[in-house]
Amino acid sequence: MRYPTSAKLFEIAKTIIPGGVNSPVRAFRNVGGDPFFVRRAKGSRIEDIDGKSYIDYIGTWGPAILGHAPMSVINAVHEAAKNGLSFGIPNVLEVEMAQMITSWVPSVEKVRMTNSGTEATMSAIRLARGYTKRDKIIKFDGCYHGHSDSLLVAAGSGALTHGEPDSAGVPAAFAAETIVLPFNDPAAVEAAFLQWEGQIAALILEPYPANAGLILPQPGFLSFLREITERNGTVLIFDEVMTGFRLGKAGVQGLEHIMPDLSCFGKVIGGGLPVGAFGGKAAIMDYLAPLGPVYQAGTLSGNPLAMVAGITQLHELEKAGAYEKLDEIGAYLQGGVEIILTQKGIPHRMNRVGSMFCLFFTDQEIINLDSVKTQDMALFRKLFWSMLDKGVYIAPSPYETGFLSLAHTREDIDYTLDALEKAVNEL
Ligand code: KE4
């Protein structure tokens, strides 16, 4: 079938899909201009319907850790599909996935599958509230946990007052139960626990926030959160939807040797198919229906195709050297970028952990959302379009994180660095 051009298709899409997209970030609003439409993807590359190909540094926002369309995953999904596409009945693949997650992540004694990261975090919050019989939750500015009402909340007018809706349609009463604090600010956390003593059900965070670019916790911050939540009977929830199984078999909690009470996962464990999961201490997880009073459900939760895609992907990641290879290719990219930008005298900070990275055009240390906002957005936008024109697709927003895969080669990185040098020279 002859596709129309991306421009034509976007015009059509906008007449029948709000903004022409099924998820806002895809509309390129943060960089201006219109998105391209993808035709196919393979390995480290994507091809648009106009026949142009790009080295892809987003990997469908995290799932494509092996690269796009890995044959191992495709074959496994193909075989599983012959046995049925969905059952709504317990199936062996759900047990196999649960066995892998609970054996890879020591803090997870029991786990439940969902169909998205949003469902996972929404369910974990409800579970923490049901378990503690408390209503308040703490989240951090700049952390994104999906779009459930309790988590689409911005910092209130006063740092310690209740949150305010961060989206139309979120009732003020819901937002009032969420306290939003600056990341990397132990004093603010201490003050919140003093002000709301005995009322805080959960504290949820991305342990390495990656939805405001990639922000890293200052030394001791995560262990401080573990201690203060323990002391206050508050459920500590690590949202590892992005970092889980990407930064190592046990994600950030494995790197930082911290045991949260609950964890949320997604992306990598679905191999590109719709998935989410939340899990943790059995004593808390057993509050979930049908055992306990906290209701949570999903027609397609644990569906066989997402399960077999994720299981296959995890098996590939447990092969010797997989995570080391991701870190090596990430270091190679970072080294090259740092040399070019330093030589050109462009102020920048590049945060990277393994195969996750983010480039900020600022000379400020990146410690929280306010520091992220000091970056030169106009420069980012110019470089985004210049790199796209040269066949390199980076995140269409300065508030997103880039991802490498096992399919990215040193030649891909060399091509990317050459494109960056040319783009910088054109500024
Ligand atoms: P989903 O509902 O999009 O599967 O997951 C929500 C979510 C939860 N927690 C974290 C840490 C996340 O990063 C996400 C989703 N990530 C974004 C990427 N920044 C999804 C991209 C999009 O919204 O289209």
Side-chain angles (χ1 to χ4, degrees):
M1 167 183 132
R2 179 83 193 95
Y3 291 92
T5 61
S6 287
K8 177 68 188 144
L9 199 51
F10 194 45
E11 288 315 308
I12 298 168
K14 284 190 287 189
T15 64
I16 46 180
I17 306 170
V21 292
N22 282 308
S23 197
V25 71
R26 304 178 195 171
F28 279 22
R29 288 294 179 93
N30 277 302
V31 289
D34 292 343
F36 59 85
F37 280 65
V38 67
R39 181 201 299 272
R40 56 171 156 250
K42 186 70 179 174
S44 61
R45 289 182 172 276
I46 49 178
E47 183 185 320
D48 69 18
I49 61 171
D50 306 306
K52 192 169 166 57
S53 93
Y54 310 88
I55 299 173
D56 177 17
Y57 286 100
I58 299 170
T60 179
W61 303 104
I65 194 167
L66 305 182
H68 286 291
M71 284 320 295
S72 58
V73 174
I74 288 175
N75 292 336
V77 170
H78 185 235
E79 284 311 303
K82 292 176 188 169
N83 296 326
L85 301 174
S86 177
F87 306 116
I89 303 167
N91 71 84
V92 66
L93 292 166
E94 293 171 277
V95 178
E96 191 176 338
M97 173 62 87
Q99 284 173 326
M100 291 190 90
I101 292 173
T102 52
S103 71
W104 285 34
V105 191
S107 72
V108 178
E109 296 171 343
K110 289 194 174 181
V111 63
R112 172 154 297 171
M113 302 310 296
T114 63
N115 297 286
S116 68
T118 293
E119 281 183 56
T121 58
M122 175 182 71
S123 305
I125 293 291
R126 182 182 312 131
L127 174 59
R129 283 171 162 157
Y131 177 72
T132 60
K133 298 178 181 52
R134 300 175 182 178
D135 293 339
K136 294 277 181 214
I137 62 170
I138 291 176
K139 75 174 288 288
F140 292 97
D141 231 353
C143 284
Y144 174 69
H145 304 291
H147 59 90
S148 64
D149 286 347
S150 290
L151 292 164
L152 278 184
V153 178
S157 50
L160 295 181
T161 59
H162 49 67
E164 290 165 3
D166 201 14
S167 162
V170 174
F174 278 38
E177 298 300 340
T178 303
I179 302 148
V180 183
L181 302 177
F183 192 70
N184 276 324
D185 187 339
V189 177
E190 286 275 12
F193 273 98
L194 276 178
Q195 175 159 341
W196 306 100
E197 190 172 1
Q199 300 178 55
I200 301 172
L203 182 150
I204 185 170
L205 74 153
E206 295 175 69
Y208 290 178
N211 284 285
L214 182 58
I215 303 171
L216 299 178
Q218 302 218 297
F221 185 61
L222 296 181
S223 49
F224 159 76
L225 293 178
R226 177 61 287 179
E227 188 279 325
I228 195 167
T229 49
E230 195 83 48
R231 184 156 36 94
N232 284 274
T234 293
V235 175
L236 176 62
I237 304 173
F238 271 16
D239 176 354
E240 295 220 47
V241 166
M242 227 188 237
T243 54
F245 308 97
R246 170 160 288 272
L247 296 184
K249 291 182 74 170
V252 171
Q253 55 194 277
L255 298 177
E256 298 280 350
H257 309 294
I258 294 202
M259 299 274 272
D261 300 308
L262 294 179
S263 299
C264 303
F265 304 108
K267 298 180 190 276
V268 166
I269 57 169
L273 274 70
V275 77
F278 64 108
K281 285 180 179 164
I284 302 176
M285 292 298 287
D286 285 350
Y287 265 67
L288 284 172
L291 280 181
V294 178
Y295 195 70
Q296 189 277 339
T299 303
L300 297 173
S301 297
N303 78 83
L305 303 192
M307 293 302 96
V308 81
I311 289 163
T312 307
Q313 191 139 278
L314 293 184
H315 280 313
E316 292 294 327
L317 288 170
E318 67 185 343
K319 288 178 180 171
Y323 287 108
E324 291 76 8
K325 184 164 181 274
L326 287 165
D327 187 45
E328 276 160 27
I329 199 78
Y332 186 61
L333 174 69
Q334 180 172 17
V337 169
E338 299 273 14
I339 289 170
I340 292 168
L341 296 180
T342 304
Q343 276 174 350
K344 304 294 176 187
I346 296 180
H348 67 281
R349 296 272 178 165
M350 187 162 181
N351 282 352
R352 179 186 68 84
V353 182
S355 58
M356 293 175 69
F357 64 90
C358 188
L359 184 55
F360 303 90
F361 292 113
T362 179
D363 57 6
Q364 300 283 311
E365 189 192 1
I366 299 297
I367 57 165
N368 57 24
L369 184 59
D370 285 347
S371 51
V372 168
K373 287 178 176 174
T374 66
Q375 63 180 312
D376 182 340
M377 306 289 183
L379 175 55
F380 175 85
R381 277 192 285 273
K382 272 191 208 135
L383 279 174
F384 169 82
W385 287 107
S386 183
M387 294 297 277
L388 194 68
D389 186 50
K390 294 168 174 64
V392 177
Y393 178 48
I394 61 174
S397 163
Y399 292 106
E400 294 291 352
T401 293
F403 298 93
L404 286 146
S405 78
L406 286 172
H408 284 78
T409 63
R410 292 175 84 92
E411 291 71 28
D412 288 332
I413 307 301
D414 291 339
Y415 179 93
T416 302
L417 295 173
D418 182 57
L420 176 63
E421 183 133 38
K422 290 191 174 94
V424 166
N425 290 336
E426 290 162 7
L427 289 177

